[in-house]
Amino acid sequence: MSATPPADAAAKPKSKKLVLIIAIVLVLVLAGGGAAWFMLSKRSHGDEDEEGGGGGHQAKAAAPAAPKVAPTFLPIDNMVVNLADSGGDRFAQIGITLELADAKTSDLVKQYLPSIRSAVLMLVSQRTSEELLGREGKEKLAVDIRREVSRPLGYTVPKPRKRRASDEEDDEEAPAPKADTNPVRQVLFSSFIIQ
């Protein structure tokens, strides 16, 4: 009988060590799994934050960015116009394409196309060949045409402000320009010939 109790006593310390080793391994596995889960979830949230352009909770609070819609282009038949040069022997042949926000705007512009063409012809006929030969003259004409196309749709295009030397100092205090909601995005010239 004396041999049995020492075997039980020796088995208890071994079983305690075994239980302790299993518990430590289990804690390490759980801690490693938790750390891996945390790192993977943080990485996936980090990718979303980079795409959203913000950090953490701010990205969720901000409204999602509107998907960018491809513009609609509406070509207008070429126009031949006498210019305002002295003698009346100079003319311009101009091809215009309108960049519009969507197909709905294109349909609306088509309804007003006769009056828009007339307004564009009037605009060009008031210019001289000298004005239209330079880049600045063409850009100003494009802004004026955009204004004439936008008018029947109920939009206005502000006239560009002339810059003065004192404006450079005021630029720091100038208010930010308003967002342009005009569906007539820009006027593109597909041809521009002056003879």
Side-chain angles (χ1 to χ4, degrees), residues 163-184:
R163 291 190 60 83
R164 300 180 309 252
S166 62
D167 286 346
E168 293 176 10
E169 298 169 4
D170 297 338
D171 280 346
E172 295 174 7
E173 300 172 13
K178 295 179 182 176
D180 192 0
T181 59
N182 189 339
V184 180

Side-chain angles (χ1 to χ4, degrees), residues 101-135:
D102 51 27
K104 181 181 174 185
T105 306
S106 176
D107 292 340
L108 194 57
V109 168
K110 287 177 186 176
Q111 291 176 354
Y112 292 102
L113 206 49
S115 63
I116 289 171
R117 283 181 57 85
S118 175
V120 170
L121 289 170
M122 296 296 231
L123 277 174
V124 177
S125 68
Q126 296 171 356
R127 302 298 202 307
T128 64
S129 59
E130 187 176 319
E131 290 174 27
L132 295 178
L133 285 173
R135 179 182 178 98

Side-chain angles (χ1 to χ4, degrees), residues 44-119:
S44 67
H45 287 294
D47 292 345
E48 291 171 6
D49 289 348
E50 288 175 10
E51 291 172 2
H57 299 289
Q58 293 175 349
K60 292 179 183 176
K68 189 167 184 165
V69 179
T72 301
F73 293 98
L74 177 64
I76 297 177
D77 293 334
N78 285 356
M79 295 178 252
V80 178
V81 183
N82 287 329
L83 297 175
D85 287 326
S86 61
D89 58 347
R90 304 289 308 254
F91 66 91
Q93 178 184 353
I94 300 174
I96 297 171
T97 300
L98 301 174
E99 181 181 329
L100 306 170
D102 51 27
K104 181 181 174 185
T105 306
S106 176
D107 292 340
L108 194 57
V109 168
K110 287 177 186 176
Q111 291 176 354
Y112 292 102
L113 206 49
S115 63
I116 289 171
R117 283 181 57 85
S118 175

